[in-house]
Amino acid sequence: GQVTGGKDEL
Amino acid sequence: MNIFRLTGDLSHLAAIIILLLKIWKTRSCAGISGKSQILFALVFTTRYLDLLTSFISFYNTIMKLIYIGCAYATVYLIYMKFKATYDGNHDSFRLEFLVVPVGGLACLVNHDFSFLEILWTFSIYLESVAILPQLFMISKTGEAETITTHYLFFLGLYRALYLFNWIWRFYFEGFFDMIAIVAGVVQTILYCDFFYLYVTKVLKGKKLSLPA
């Protein structure tokens, strides 16, 4: 599943 | 952070700077689709609103500010400063045909129905098709300045490198984001035709001209 914790990618 | 994401970001930054310098130095935006640049400004605006809510790293914050700043500067140069050189007749792609379906899809297919998440999803879907007006314009004019092809090469390369970044992150971190991956694959596929022309023509010193 998608790791939460905001979008660290640009 | 991994080598693919870093080189991807630098490739993206190179593309943005190349375009800005091309317009500024030649004082002309001939052959450039202002509509694609509007879409990119919209992509960065809707994706980077989290600048106001969360801090990830200095790199993350600075790059987001550079992208947003350059995107709006480019739109300004095209539609204001060098408006006389803007080729509106060939930049005729209907933006509503992209923004409306993308907006609808972002509301239907997303990870979380929250304001910032919907906007982020919208920006991911929009970015995958944002280059279409530019590619459409080149197909109408039948050619592109060499500097413009370098801009497109680095712009297309950046998301292709992100695909490798996602493979890396899945393998080493167990991280994957299906929405970003599918949109990234679509985005990169849209450049394939251009990549072929770039490698077979521009890299051989010829001008990029589509078969008349």
Side-chain angles (χ1 to χ4, degrees):
Chain A
Q2 196 227 0
V3 170
T4 56
K7 312 289 181 196
D8 64 324
E9 293 184 344
L10 292 177
Chain B
M1 177 58 81
N2 60 68
I3 185 64
F4 296 113
R5 186 143 70 99
L6 182 60
T7 46
D9 290 342
L10 294 179
S11 179
H12 194 186
L13 184 62
I16 290 170
I17 302 296
I18 286 171
L19 180 62
L20 210 48
L21 284 182
K22 172 254 188 279
I23 298 175
W24 182 254
K25 294 279 184 194
T26 65
R27 305 185 68 73
S28 161
C29 58
I32 302 299
S33 164
K35 296 191 171 185
S36 276
Q37 298 313 313
I38 289 173
L39 291 180
F40 286 124
L42 187 57
V43 164
F44 295 141
T45 306
T46 52
R47 189 177 300 180
Y48 298 155
L49 285 179
D50 64 353
L51 277 170
L52 308 172
T53 59
S54 59
F55 174 79
I56 301 212
S57 70
F58 282 109
Y59 171 82
N60 190 275
T61 300
I62 290 166
M63 289 294 271
K64 286 176 177 176
L65 291 173
I66 293 173
Y67 286 2
I68 287 176
C70 290
Y72 280 99
T74 303
V75 169
Y76 163 76
L77 291 182
I78 292 173
Y79 286 100
M80 310 251 198
K81 194 153 179 62
F82 302 125
K83 181 180 176 56
T85 65
Y86 172 56
D87 180 7
N89 297 323
H90 288 117
D91 191 13
S92 55
F93 200 99
R94 302 289 303 276
L95 291 188
E96 53 272 38
F97 288 172
L98 293 176
V99 175
V100 175
V102 160
L105 187 63
C107 292
L108 291 174
V109 182
N110 53 63
H111 292 311
D112 175 42
F113 202 82
S114 66
F115 178 67
L116 278 183
E117 189 68 24
I118 294 280
L119 284 185
W120 175 85
T121 308
F122 170 77
S123 84
I124 291 289
Y125 293 152
L126 186 62
E127 189 191 4
S128 63
V129 294
I131 201 61
L132 284 177
Q134 179 67 67
L135 297 178
F136 180 76
M137 181 174 188
I138 290 176
S139 70
K140 285 193 79 173
T141 57
E143 61 170 7
E145 287 180 34
T146 300
I147 188 69
T148 306
T149 62
H150 296 320
Y151 157 70
L152 286 168
F153 172 72
F154 285 111
L155 195 61
L157 181 66
Y158 124 75
R159 213 62 179 173
L161 288 167
Y162 256 68
L163 297 179
F164 292 103
N165 154 60
W166 288 320
I167 294 170
W168 174 287
R169 294 192 72 179
F170 178 67
Y171 185 75
F172 289 106
E173 302 169 31
F175 165 90
F176 75 94
D177 182 334
M178 195 51 83
I179 284 177
I181 291 171
V182 172
V185 169
V186 168
Q187 181 171 336
T188 304
I189 286 174
L190 290 177
Y191 281 85
C192 286
D193 178 36
F194 166 77
F195 281 146
Y196 173 77
L197 289 170
Y198 184 80
V199 171
T200 56
K201 290 199 174 176
V202 178
L203 293 190
K204 291 195 168 61
K206 296 179 197 143
K207 186 158 174 52
L208 188 130
S209 57
L210 300 178

